[in-house]
Amino acid sequence: MTRARRGFSLIELLVVVAIAAILISLLLPALAGAREAGRGAICLSNLRQASVSCRQYADENKGWGPAIGQPYADWPNWALVVQTYAGQTGSSAAELYSTRSVLVCPTIAAHYATGMQRTYAMNATGHAGMPAQAGFAADPDDFDDPSRPAFIRVDQVPFPSATVLLLDSRVPPPTTTNPPPPTRTASTLDFRNAEHVATRVGRFHTRRGLFDGAMFDGSAKSFIDVPPAWAKPLP
């Protein structure tokens, strides 16, 4: 005589479901952390490549880096120069910008979810048209002046390993004059401008609010705070 096969009781099934739910709740943060770690690694790699591209441009132009701001939509704007050195063809923003490029941090792109084409900003400190202040001379140019593009003398930056060239940025406030398209974050950042530091630095990495930056020497790393030394005007 064969015995009837005994199935799971309701209590046993509920116990299994509860255990599965606990395991999933434990694994999800680890998986999210691993995903963000991967995105962060890509971001740092992008910044290194973009920094090296700017340095290469400077080496080919007597030490002068690409244009910091204007002309925003044409060469030699820094972002378009980076795209060219990365293998893209063309000279205008319409030709060179892409949603998959070294100009796009995957973490920031996921945050905005609007097909971002650029998520980094260039350090424009000392090139914002500001008058003399706090012992510093007046800026020699203004990155927002379309009649006279502004450039950094890359070969004269005194501490290239400690001075940021490019960093994560965020979409500027709607009150910003001449804001970028919604698919691009702020392109420039003056560290003497408290509003820029408060609203343009892209603190998107991990729950601690880190941001990534590439230095003038081509290295890249994550930061918690903006070092006071970055407020010193660039040559």
Side-chain angles (χ1 to χ4, degrees):
M1 181 177 180
T2 58
R3 290 185 176 181
R5 185 175 298 174
R6 180 176 177 271
F8 290 109
S9 69
L10 178 59
I11 294 177
E12 291 171 328
L13 184 60
L14 291 175
V15 169
V16 171
V17 171
I19 293 173
I22 293 172
L23 291 175
I24 291 173
S25 67
L26 293 175
L27 288 173
L28 281 178
L31 292 174
R35 179 182 297 177
E36 171 51 28
R39 289 173 172 172
I42 293 173
C43 179
L44 289 171
S45 177
N46 287 349
L47 285 165
R48 291 189 195 98
Q49 185 174 342
S51 176
V52 169
S53 295
C54 291
R55 178 74 221 196
Q56 185 176 348
Y57 178 92
D59 290 342
E60 296 171 358
N61 289 273
K62 301 181 179 180
W64 294 97
I68 301 169
Q70 294 283 3
Y72 288 106
D74 291 291
W75 239 71
N77 175 268
W78 74 265
L80 303 186
V81 167
V82 167
Q83 286 293 78
T84 299
Y85 280 91
Q88 297 285 347
T89 57
S91 61
S92 67
E95 295 171 305
L96 291 172
Y97 275 123
S98 169
T99 56
R100 297 177 65 86
S101 77
V102 296
L103 294 177
V104 179
C105 165
T107 295
I108 300 177
H111 173 82
Y112 286 115
T114 54
M116 302 304 290
Q117 298 176 328
R118 185 196 64 226
T119 65
Y120 302 125
M122 176 171 275
N123 184 354
T125 307
H127 298 272
M130 294 183 68
Q133 58 173 309
F136 296 119
D139 290 355
D141 46 25
D142 183 349
F143 64 79
D144 252 343
D145 183 354
S147 66
R148 185 188 177 197
F151 304 89
I152 298 169
R153 190 64 188 261
V154 174
D155 60 350
Q156 293 185 4
V157 174
F159 302 103
S161 64
T163 306
V164 73
L165 170 61
L166 301 168
L167 70 155
D168 287 325
S169 66
R170 61 187 308 119
V171 173
T175 55
T176 303
T177 303
N178 298 322
T183 56
R184 301 169 204 164
T185 60
S187 174
T188 55
L189 199 155
D190 185 341
F191 287 104
R192 298 167 301 178
N193 188 325
E195 182 182 359
H196 280 198
V197 175
T199 64
R200 297 193 180 192
V201 176
R203 300 178 179 277
F204 292 96
H205 293 284
T206 77
R207 294 180 181 178
R208 293 188 298 166
L210 301 180
F211 65 94
D212 291 341
M215 318 309 278
F216 276 88
D217 70 344
S219 62
K221 53 187 175 181
S222 299
F223 296 88
I224 297 177
D225 299 310
V226 172
W230 290 358
K232 184 176 180 180
L234 295 169

